[in-house]
Amino acid sequence: MISRALKAQLRAQRLAARDAIPSESRIEKSLVMAEAGGAAIDFVPGTEVSGFFPIKSEVDVRPLMQRLKDKGASLSVPVVVDKQTIVFRELVAGVPLVSTGFGTFGPGPDARVVDPEIMLVPMSAFDRIGHRIGYGAGFYDRAISRLHDMGRQPRLIGVAFDCQEIEVIPAEDHDVALDAILTESGFKVFGKELA
């Protein structure tokens, strides 16, 4: 059994490193990532892509989400519906946003709930083979598990800054590895490098 204390320590270290990035630099890095991700993430028009609105010092994926929308993606964002569950609600221009938990906003309860085919996944840390540490609440782990139970295999693309990488994440049996990671250094599909 992997120590929760070890994961908590790794999470705190990487979040502190992320918090130390000056806000102007975070904006610049996020724009670089939007350019790289917009070029590298392939899909057919109409594909359901979940993004997220940034909280605290997270990567701002809104410019990337706009690029993916311009390529034909249908966008959604996570919404906390109870202490255990997030769902992904369709994000449509002009629809009012409401408080959706964790200090972020999203579409209200009348919005269409979707099952993402590509998920942009936030995190506190990642390693070079695709394991990640989230924020400790397990929302994404449960959402991914629920999609798998439905027979769906969403493409999981982690989004983080380079400073959030660590040598090895202590993975557990229930942890699902990412398919790719996007940082300011570029887009990496696990098992092969892309520019």
Side-chain angles (χ1 to χ4, degrees), residues 67-141:
R67 287 183 182 269
L68 299 179
K69 180 180 177 187
D70 292 345
K71 288 174 61 173
S74 176
L75 299 177
S76 62
V77 293
V79 175
V80 177
V81 293
D82 62 42
K83 292 182 180 181
Q84 296 289 312
T85 309
I86 57 172
V87 297
F88 298 90
R89 291 185 183 154
E90 185 177 26
L91 186 61
V92 177
V95 172
L97 302 179
V98 299
S99 176
T100 57
F102 287 95
T104 189
F105 294 85
D110 293 336
R112 182 172 69 95
V113 173
V114 303
D115 297 325
E117 298 165 89
I118 298 174
M119 297 173 73
L120 304 179
V121 183
M123 69 196 69
S124 57
F126 68 95
D127 68 17
R128 58 187 66 186
I129 60 171
H131 292 118
R132 65 179 273 278
I133 296 176
Y135 295 120
F139 285 113
Y140 271 84
D141 292 331

Side-chain angles (χ1 to χ4, degrees), residues 134-184:
Y135 295 120
F139 285 113
Y140 271 84
D141 292 331
R142 286 187 295 278
I144 293 164
S145 177
R146 188 174 66 246
L147 289 167
H148 287 174
D149 289 347
M150 295 167 54
R152 303 187 186 279
Q153 296 294 321
R155 196 163 138 211
L156 306 176
I157 301 173
V159 184
F161 295 111
D162 286 333
C163 68
Q164 293 174 253
E165 183 175 357
I166 61 176
E167 189 67 31
V168 177
I169 298 279
E172 298 179 78
D173 291 341
H174 68 270
D175 290 332
V176 177
L178 300 166
D179 296 301
I181 187 77
L182 175 63
T183 72
E184 67 269 30

Side-chain angles (χ1 to χ4, degrees), residues 23-44:
S23 60
E24 298 83 7
S25 182
R26 280 198 306 271
I27 293 168
E28 291 170 4
K29 292 172 189 286
S30 294
L31 291 173
V32 167
M33 293 163 73
E35 186 77 25
I41 300 170
D42 288 327
F43 54 87
V44 297

